Amino acid sequence: MHTPPVVSPQAWEAAREQLLVKEKAQTRARDALAAERRRMPWMAVEKTYSFEGPDGKASLLDLFDGRRQLIVYRAFFEPGVFGWPDHACRGCSLVADQVAHVAHLNARDTTLVFVSRAPQADIARLKARMGWDMPWYTLTDSFDADFGVDEWHGHNVFIRDGDRVFRTYFINNRGDEQMGSTWNYLDITPLGRQEVWEDSPEGYPQTPTYKWWNWHDSYAADPAADKKWAEVSDAGEAAFREASTKQ
């Protein structure tokens, strides 16, 4: 194994600062790409789709669970997939293991669900074995083929306007494996993180950074209005803005 050189603390810090310039450029480029993603055109979903959930049949609109945005991950768990019936696909399982607590997404008016062709009894058994909590529905029709996930995993993103549903984004292959954190999920939605520093179209919902962050068991209907949290987040917002100007 050919390792890098061992240097003094001063030389190490200089090397870190040099790399940090490139890392900050990448961060700014990622933010710009997310801003462009929020301006992607929407595609109306005119076809009716049906899923099977723990409480019976559900439509695509039902999967939103009353929220405005929906992220649907197609996981391969069904007969013919390696690991069946004890396990889902190893790659999809690795994705599932990395899913952050969905309460944080829910606080941003966003629902995350997994879908597979396995029956609900098998999905419930798998979730219990693996300790997974995300909503997981059974595919019953051509949803996977219509949205490019019949042969490969992927995330489809939707938004609703009343009862009308629109497809806003799709990611599979490289890039799809990075999903799992609250931030990566929100960055692929049409509304983004919904924080004031973001470059979003006029009129998009935005709140001060930090002001909506909370413990996953402490979100209220309007966490931004929590006075105790607001006192802390006001200071955090100022620090965030100061740091952002240096990036």
Side-chain angles (χ1 to χ4, degrees):
M1 181 176 176
H2 185 67
T3 63
V6 176
V7 299
S8 67
Q10 294 79 10
W12 185 91
E13 191 62 40
R16 176 187 174 274
E17 289 294 332
Q18 187 176 12
L19 183 61
L20 188 61
V21 173
K22 296 179 180 179
E23 290 177 335
K24 293 303 182 183
Q26 183 185 41
T27 297
R28 289 191 292 269
R30 186 178 64 242
D31 290 343
L33 187 60
E36 187 174 346
R37 190 181 294 123
R38 289 190 288 277
R39 291 166 171 83
M40 276 269 296
W42 295 0
M43 183 195 82
V45 179
E46 306 290 0
K47 190 173 179 179
T48 300
Y49 294 98
S50 180
F51 305 84
E52 194 72 32
D55 299 320
K57 291 189 179 299
S59 65
L60 180 59
L61 189 62
D62 291 331
L63 266 56
F64 281 79
D65 197 22
R67 300 182 184 93
R68 191 172 183 182
Q69 300 188 128
L70 171 69
I71 302 171
V72 181
Y73 177 68
R74 199 302 195 208
F76 281 87
F77 178 49
E78 58 202 60
V81 172
F82 180 81
W84 174 267
D86 296 324
H87 282 291
C89 152
R90 286 174 291 192
C92 295
S93 298
L94 185 58
V95 170
D97 277 336
Q98 298 178 76
V99 173
H101 202 292
V102 296
H104 302 296
L105 289 175
N106 297 164
R108 293 278 89 177
D109 213 7
T110 303
T111 297
L112 170 71
V113 304
F114 276 40
V115 295
S116 298
R117 288 209 168 269
Q120 278 296 296
D122 290 303
I123 290 175
R125 172 177 51 80
L126 178 68
K127 288 176 63 178
R129 172 176 179 167
M130 301 301 288
W132 296 331
D133 294 325
M134 74 287 287
W136 200 319
Y137 292 83
T138 301
L139 292 160
T140 67
D141 50 32
S142 63
F143 176 89
D144 50 354
D146 293 348
F147 290 98
V149 287
D150 54 328
E151 297 180 355
W152 196 246
H153 60 86
H155 287 82
N156 276 281
V157 185
F158 303 90
I159 193 169
R160 70 180 183 91
D161 182 7
D163 290 341
R164 296 199 68 194
V165 176
F166 303 88
R167 188 191 196 192
T168 64
Y169 189 67
F170 173 58
I171 185 170
N172 63 354
N173 295 312
R174 285 300 304 274
D176 190 47
E177 88 282 0
Q178 297 184 43
M179 293 298 106
S181 81
T182 299
W183 310 121
N184 281 345
Y185 281 133
L186 291 177
D187 283 346
I188 66 171
T189 65
L191 299 182
R193 303 184 189 189
Q194 303 165 53
E195 296 181 344
V196 293
W197 63 270
E198 287 183 304
D199 174 13
S200 292
E202 184 178 354
Y204 273 42
Q206 291 185 321
T207 58
T209 309
Y210 297 112
K211 192 159 281 190
W212 69 274
W213 300 8
N214 213 333
W215 299 283
H216 71 250
D217 63 350
S218 299
Y219 281 110
D222 182 13
D226 189 319
K227 292 182 179 180
K228 291 183 295 183
W229 181 241
E231 292 173 0
V232 176
S233 62
D234 284 344
E237 174 68 15
F240 180 88
R241 286 186 174 277
E242 181 180 357
S244 296
T245 62
K246 300 176 181 178
Q247 296 178 359

